[in-house]
Amino acid sequence: MRVLLVGAGGVGTAITRIAARRPFFDHMVVADYDLARAEAAVAALGDGGTRFSACRTDASDEGAVAALLKEQRCDVLLNATDPRFVLPLFNAAAAAGAHYLDMAMSLSSPHPDRPYELCGVKLGDAQFEQAELWEKAGRLALVGMGVEPGMSDVFARYAADELFDEIEEIGIRDGANLTVEGYDFAPSFNIWTTIEECLNPPVVYEADRGWFTTEPFSEPEIFDFPEGIGPVECVNVEHEEVLLVPRWIDAARVTFKYGLGEDFIGKLKTLSALGLDSTVPVTVTTGLGPAEVSPRDVVAAVLPDPATLGDRMTGKTCAGTWVKGVKDGEPREVYLYHVVDNEWSMREYGCQAVVWQTAVNPVVALELMASGTWARSGVLGPEAFAPRPFLDLLTAYGSPWAMREQLPAQAESRR
């Protein structure tokens, strides 16, 4: 397998460090708009980087990326950019006859008249519209294959296959106790994506109603996270799992709630109130004359790069899927989860916990694709595949998952 990795930021760099330890691929081309960043990601691998090379590409240029895929004879494009570039990279892979894998799906847009009641364009709609073309071409576009979405969706499939006869609710619950020394506001993940998912209308799915939207940060609840993280208030946030899970799994209700905290929510609301969440360019006077700049890009530019925060960060991050339903006629409630300690990820890989946890999942999926274990065509989410091979391989990577029975006791069991 030859892989074109587009994006050499925090997650892209973590992907190279994880993949370098695995033998399943022949070569990985690391491409970024900033050539120096791609070269740095490869150089950091040292003697382990013989199967890697770096080059420059513009992720927004479909033609250039398609040509690069053909020139480098790559079998698959792994998208590690932010969601703005999903469609051009998705289309470039299709044009080049390559498989495709991403960690976030094509962007949504709110309903023009009733944004907090009805869906407008949903996450991934633009990709699923092309599903038949991918299927006829015999190529796989595996969408939403990060940690959330991604691992969380695999957990949902595993629960449906092995743990429940009937599912009342699947709820993705994400929480952490991470702190960053020296910063009042230092998001641990790409701020462009964070603003997008947190300030857009959250989507909820109910079997008798379909997909609908609510107010941002609605339905707060306290969720008790495992391994010492403890109780965290979680709120509704727009996320791909709610759009993916119901396509393959029968559940009466699907939600996504994120543990953000009052301070973080307050800062996001302030950014929105000031118009700094906007992606529409505004004219700014500079010493070199007028310049067109997106307010959201300015926010991203003044905040620290999440990939550089690892040395100042302490704590753990938890991604997981809470499932409530019935098994053998009895009520059951479980939380399937994956915890990464920042101290461990920094020591083992030199990557902070959130970006490492995101990066490990597409590498596991690539290995399953390379072996033919996950082999289908079309535009598919992680739920469309057998979950056990993924969960077993994740454990083999040295990062085991776990399950907690919520009823009748809060017992934890390692898998």
Side-chain angles (χ1 to χ4, degrees):
M1 173 183 276
R2 291 179 63 87
V3 181
L4 174 62
L5 169 65
V6 183
V11 173
T13 296
I15 285 171
T16 64
R17 295 178 184 181
I18 296 165
R21 302 187 184 189
R22 306 297 297 185
F24 69 87
F25 66 98
D26 301 308
H27 192 80
M28 182 175 289
V29 180
V30 183
D32 196 278
Y33 189 79
D34 182 348
L35 176 60
R37 191 161 70 164
E39 291 174 333
V42 173
L45 300 174
D47 293 341
T50 56
R51 291 179 295 153
F52 294 78
S53 60
C55 70
R56 184 189 181 280
T57 197
D58 181 348
S60 68
D61 188 335
E62 292 180 19
V65 175
L68 182 60
L69 280 162
K70 292 179 180 178
E71 174 192 322
Q72 294 291 335
R73 297 176 288 109
C74 290
D75 306 290
V76 58
L77 187 158
L78 172 51
N79 176 3
T81 65
D82 72 53
R84 286 174 291 182
F85 303 106
V86 163
L87 282 180
L89 294 176
F90 177 80
N91 292 333
H99 300 294
Y100 172 85
L101 194 157
D102 64 30
M103 291 163 275
M105 292 159 60
S106 59
L107 291 170
S108 65
S109 59
H111 189 278
D113 303 314
R114 298 160 64 186
Y116 303 127
E117 299 174 51
L118 304 177
C119 294
V121 175
K122 301 188 299 300
L123 291 168
D125 275 358
Q127 292 171 283
F128 283 115
E129 287 172 0
Q130 300 186 44
E132 185 177 351
L133 295 175
W134 281 80
E135 190 168 359
K136 287 181 177 178
R139 294 292 181 266
L140 170 62
L142 177 52
V143 297
M145 192 60 252
V147 58
E148 292 171 341
M151 182 195 298
S152 52
D153 303 74
V154 174
F155 286 151
R157 175 81 270 167
Y158 173 74
D161 287 355
E162 301 194 26
L163 304 179
F164 290 85
D165 298 322
E166 181 181 338
I167 294 176
E168 179 181 333
E169 182 168 354
I170 294 175
I172 315 306
R173 299 292 183 265
D174 181 298
N177 61 0
L178 295 168
T179 59
V180 182
E181 180 185 0
Y183 290 99
D184 292 327
F185 186 53
S188 58
F189 201 71
N190 180 292
I191 187 60
W192 200 101
T193 304
T194 300
I195 289 173
E196 183 74 14
E197 64 188 23
C198 291
L199 294 178
N200 278 352
V203 180
V204 174
Y205 173 83
E206 292 180 356
D208 60 355
R209 185 175 175 184
W211 286 293
F212 60 94
T213 58
T214 70
E215 295 273 352
F217 315 119
S218 58
E219 298 182 359
E221 68 176 52
I222 302 297
F223 192 86
D224 188 12
F225 288 92
E227 300 197 17
I229 296 174
V232 178
E233 183 178 78
C234 297
V235 294
N236 279 324
V237 167
E238 182 192 47
H239 234 251
E240 286 89 345
E241 291 93 329
V242 180
L243 288 313
L244 285 170
V245 169
R247 294 176 185 269
W248 287 280
I249 297 172
D250 289 330
R253 180 175 165 89
V254 183
T255 57
F256 180 98
K257 293 189 180 183
Y258 199 2
L260 295 172
E262 290 185 12
D263 182 68
F264 197 94
I265 291 173
K267 287 182 169 64
L268 290 176
K269 288 181 175 179
T270 298
L271 290 175
S272 180
L274 295 173
L276 294 174
D277 61 325
S278 174
T279 60
V280 178
V282 296
T283 302
V284 177
T285 302
T286 74
L288 299 176
E292 295 289 312
V293 61
S294 157
R296 193 183 301 185
D297 287 338
V298 173
V299 174
V302 299
L303 288 175
D305 181 351
T308 67
L309 298 176
D311 290 334
R312 293 173 172 262
M313 188 182 291
T314 57
K316 300 176 181 179
T317 184
C318 178
T321 303
W322 162 73
V323 187
K324 181 180 180 181
V326 175
K327 178 66 173 178
D328 297 328
E330 298 292 331
R332 191 179 195 187
E333 191 174 330
V334 304
Y335 183 56
L336 301 147
Y337 66 91
H338 182 258
V339 171
V340 178
D341 188 322
N342 188 74
E343 181 182 355
W344 175 85
S345 64
M346 287 297 297
R347 181 179 67 248
E348 293 294 320
Y349 288 89
C351 300
Q352 56 104 320
V354 176
V355 298
W356 188 92
Q357 189 181 46
T358 304
V360 68
N361 300 285
V363 181
V364 172
L366 278 177
E367 185 160 347
L368 293 173
M369 291 169 64
S371 69
T373 304
W374 278 12
R376 294 182 62 183
S377 60
V379 179
L380 302 172
E383 299 88 346
F385 297 89
R388 263 295 178 182
F390 181 96
L391 297 174
D392 290 345
L393 190 53
L394 179 67
T395 300
Y397 273 49
S399 188
W401 59 284
M403 184 178 82
R404 181 177 68 190
E405 290 278 359
Q406 306 283 90
L407 295 173
Q410 298 285 314
E412 295 185 22
S413 59
R414 275 285 173 189
R415 293 286 187 249

